[in-house]
Amino acid sequence: MSLSPSSSDSSSSSSSGSASRRTVVVSAGAAGLAAALAACGGSDKKYQETSSAPPSSQSAAASAPADAKGPVLARTSDIPEGGGKVFKDKRVVVTQPAKGEFKAFSAVCTHEGCTVSAVTGGTINCPCHGSKFAVADGSVKHGPAQSPLPAKKITVSGDSITLD
């Protein structure tokens, strides 16, 4: 008595549309590998490309002053004093370290290229590995990042903030 399927058994199995054990195992392994690679990626560029601006900044862009260099990124009232706001679609974070003082920095963490996610407690925070940057100058407050966030040029005109 033979325990292995005969060649006619395996051909009838594949022609009937049922998956072989090898196909199932290979498919499951490929799906697991894809998930692991996606989770370990050093950048969330796909998220950055597919995210959209909040409705408030889209409506603000439509009402940009004629002398502005680009569309309005935010209103000064959108940026909390001592905090800031991340604009993932523009890859920029705008902060207000002191009342009426506005700064902008790249929203791309200098450690592994993730997009920073929030501004809380006086720091710009990266969710990937925990780096924290000062709202006043983008300097590293907590690693693993070694380099500060690069400054970006903005213009404040009235209550409008534009990215140069």
Side-chain angles (χ1 to χ4, degrees), residues 19-100:
S20 70
R21 181 178 298 179
R22 178 180 289 166
T23 303
V24 171
V25 170
V26 169
S27 297
L33 178 60
L37 289 174
C40 293
S43 176
D44 58 352
K45 288 181 182 173
K46 182 175 181 181
Y47 176 77
Q48 294 168 354
E49 293 168 1
T50 60
S51 67
S52 62
S56 64
S57 63
Q58 288 176 350
S59 62
S63 61
D67 62 345
K69 293 185 179 194
V72 173
L73 182 64
R75 299 284 178 208
T76 55
S77 59
D78 294 339
I79 312 301
E81 185 179 341
K85 185 172 180 180
V86 178
F87 299 89
K88 289 184 180 184
D89 61 324
K90 300 291 185 185
R91 298 171 73 169
V92 68
V93 58
V94 177
T95 65
Q96 184 179 188
K99 185 174 178 123

Side-chain angles (χ1 to χ4, degrees), residues 5-16:
S6 69
S7 61
S8 64
D9 287 344
S10 65
S11 65
S12 66
S13 169
S14 63
S15 65
S16 67

Side-chain angles (χ1 to χ4, degrees), residues 84 86 88 93 115-120 123-127:
V86 178
K88 289 184 180 184
V93 58
T115 301
V116 298
S117 62
V119 183
T120 57
T123 59
I124 302 163
N125 308 311
C126 181

